[in-house]
Amino acid sequence: MQSRLLKIIEEAERGRPMTVEEMTDIFATDDEDIRRTLFEVADRVRHKSVGDAVYLRALVEFSNHCRNNCSYCGIRPGNRQVKRYRMEPEEIVEALAVAHRLNIGTAVLQSGEDLWYDTGKIVWMIREIKERYGMAVTLSLGERSYEDYQAFREAGADRYLLRHETSDSELYARLHPGMTLERRLLCLRRLKELGYQTGSGNMVGLQGQTYLSLARDVELVRDMRLEMAGIGPFIPAEGTPLSDAECGTLDIVLREVALLRLNSPLLMIPATTAVATLDSEGRQQALQCGANILMPNFTPLRYRESYRLYAGKICINEGTEQGIEAISGILSSINRSVGKGPGHSLQTPGP
Ligand code: 5AD
């Protein structure tokens, strides 16, 4: 078993994609040598395929209103403890001025699924960000109509993040009342078709999730030729039906990051906030087994405590400057540099 899995990892380094069964076995093994080799090889492939630069993405979490009632999420409408907020479009664009001054090349606009921000408001923000700052624009607004995706793209949006959360359609349906995995994947296909650099990703450690389904998460990102994937541990959120459930583990998150890097060498992979929340060394470790992106938070401090997707979320009391200092510290400690420019995906869009 050991030599078989080591051979599979070596072959992946030379470009052979893994089968779902092989990936399942890599998630499941308790052999330390294999785990160490997996991380080392993924770090090498990251170095060779996307280099040592870590690109920064300036995140603004601009509204915590949401029409979906996902059972894991701290800002689900069913959570009555949450103070709701909406930032005005001008305030959102203004929040990114600091990021622009710090030479960060990408703005990420994220919110709950909040249709108060109609087509016109989103289009206005995209244009303003482009005009004032010349930054790349990433949207993370959930499921919207084809017409909206098209209008945002025409206004200049470059990228879209829409996690598939889990590739197990039954688990997906249980966690997301009234929603389907099928619809999610349709949105992702539309985004790709419209020419967005498209990102997905999943949580790790959901109750009922198997190694087989995590292997399928990696396969989905590869087979859809997605440009980006964000992976984080599930962390219970207060005031939700899953508030007493167990967290996902750092180990399995890191294995997935490594498998994504081996199977989609040019993928943009963030070391996520959830990883940092779970373990103070989590981001460093993710960056050393495949990840190449960090997403510093530029949400004005007064709103941050209300965008608590899960318990203990970091950066809630920390100013933007402190966040950037923490990032500089992390990068110099692991000999990595800050990426310059927009940091677009190097992948070709594909068929
Ligand atoms: N634990 C971890 N991640 C979560 N997200 C939402 N709630 C939680 C939670 N309790 C993640 C989802 C979503 C992203 C914005 O945050 O994957 O896509």
Side-chain angles (χ1 to χ4, degrees):
M1 183 71 162
Q2 192 196 35
S3 62
R4 180 181 146 252
L5 292 183
L6 288 175
K7 187 158 161 271
I8 289 165
I9 294 167
E10 278 162 24
E11 286 173 357
E13 182 171 19
R14 295 199 297 273
R16 182 178 77 79
M18 293 176 179
T19 67
V20 163
E21 290 69 31
E22 290 166 348
M23 293 193 269
T24 306
D25 290 344
I26 292 175
F27 276 118
T29 184
D30 50 18
D31 186 312
E32 253 320 298
D33 284 346
I34 292 170
R35 186 172 172 274
R36 205 183 45 244
T37 306
L38 172 70
F39 294 166
E40 282 170 10
V41 172
D43 197 43
R44 258 199 322 265
V45 170
R46 187 268 313 151
H47 169 77
K48 277 189 275 190
S49 51
V50 294
D52 289 337
V54 173
Y55 284 92
L56 306 187
R57 316 299 199 197
L59 176 66
V60 180
E61 300 154 329
F62 64 84
S63 162
N64 67 355
H65 287 258
C66 193
R67 62 177 166 168
N68 299 323
N69 209 21
C70 311
S71 55
Y72 49 82
C73 183
I75 63 168
R76 72 202 298 270
N79 188 354
R80 296 290 148 78
Q81 301 164 22
V82 178
K83 200 166 112 198
R84 301 287 161 178
Y85 71 93
R86 281 187 179 113
M87 289 172 66
E88 287 294 331
E90 172 60 35
E91 189 185 12
I92 297 167
V93 176
E94 189 47 43
L96 289 159
V98 193
H100 174 59
R101 276 202 292 280
L102 292 166
N103 278 322
I104 296 180
T106 296
V108 183
L109 300 183
Q110 185 176 90
S111 67
E113 284 195 14
D114 182 2
L115 296 179
W116 184 82
Y117 298 88
D118 57 14
T119 320
K121 287 194 181 75
I122 303 285
V123 162
W124 182 84
M125 291 193 284
I126 297 165
R127 293 210 176 111
E128 287 297 311
I129 293 167
K130 294 259 149 189
E131 247 177 67
R132 292 190 209 175
Y133 314 129
M135 295 167 91
V137 173
T138 303
L139 302 175
S140 178
L141 317 174
E143 297 181 6
R144 307 270 302 215
S145 68
Y146 185 84
E147 290 71 28
D148 270 358
Y149 287 156
Q150 194 169 31
F152 304 157
R153 181 82 186 116
E154 279 166 10
D158 300 274
R159 312 190 191 120
Y160 205 103
L161 300 175
L162 183 68
R163 289 193 182 175
H164 67 276
E165 313 294 359
T166 171
S167 58
D168 174 336
S169 58
E170 277 169 33
L171 179 57
Y172 187 98
R174 276 207 298 281
L175 295 170
H176 305 98
M179 300 173 76
T180 66
L181 178 63
E182 202 187 345
R183 163 99 206 147
R184 193 56 118 170
L185 299 181
L186 175 67
C187 286
L188 286 168
R189 281 194 297 273
R190 287 175 166 172
L191 290 162
K192 282 282 287 177
E193 204 180 290
L194 287 164
Y196 284 94
Q197 294 165 48
T198 306
S200 191
N202 59 277
M203 285 176 285
V204 165
L206 298 162
Q207 247 169 18
Q209 192 179 38
T210 60
Y211 292 140
L212 175 61
S213 89
L214 288 171
R216 291 202 173 114
D217 289 319
V218 177
E219 183 193 39
L220 183 153
V221 169
R222 178 183 74 204
D223 290 356
M224 290 189 75
R225 301 179 54 89
L226 298 174
E227 281 84 4
M228 311 170 280
I231 309 302
F234 159 74
I235 302 172
E238 284 159 37
T240 67
L242 299 181
S243 60
D244 291 327
E246 270 184 50
C247 284
T249 67
L250 180 61
D251 175 38
I252 298 299
V253 170
L254 296 177
R255 289 187 204 211
E256 187 178 352
V257 167
L259 288 170
L260 282 164
R261 176 59 66 205
L262 292 182
N263 284 278
S264 304
L266 295 175
L267 197 64
M268 299 302 228
I269 308 178
T272 58
T273 307
V275 169
T277 299
L278 192 66
D279 188 309
S280 60
E281 295 285 308
R283 274 184 297 193
Q284 287 87 316
Q285 293 190 42
L287 289 169
Q288 291 179 284
C289 64
N292 68 327
I293 301 282
L294 285 169
M295 299 176 69
N297 197 326
F298 285 81
T299 311
L301 268 181
R302 63 184 174 285
Y303 302 120
R304 289 209 203 161
E305 66 182 288
S306 305
Y307 203 84
R308 209 185 286 255
L309 304 178
Y310 41 80
K313 183 164 175 263
I314 61 156
C315 303
I316 284 187
N317 301 310
E318 163 195 278
T320 300
E321 270 119 72
Q322 285 162 285
I324 296 289
E325 268 168 38
I327 283 176
S328 307
I330 291 175
L331 294 188
S332 57
S333 77
I334 58 172
N335 276 317
R336 301 275 282 278
S337 55
V338 175
K340 294 187 175 49
H344 287 306
S345 168
L346 303 168
Q347 210 170 279
T348 50

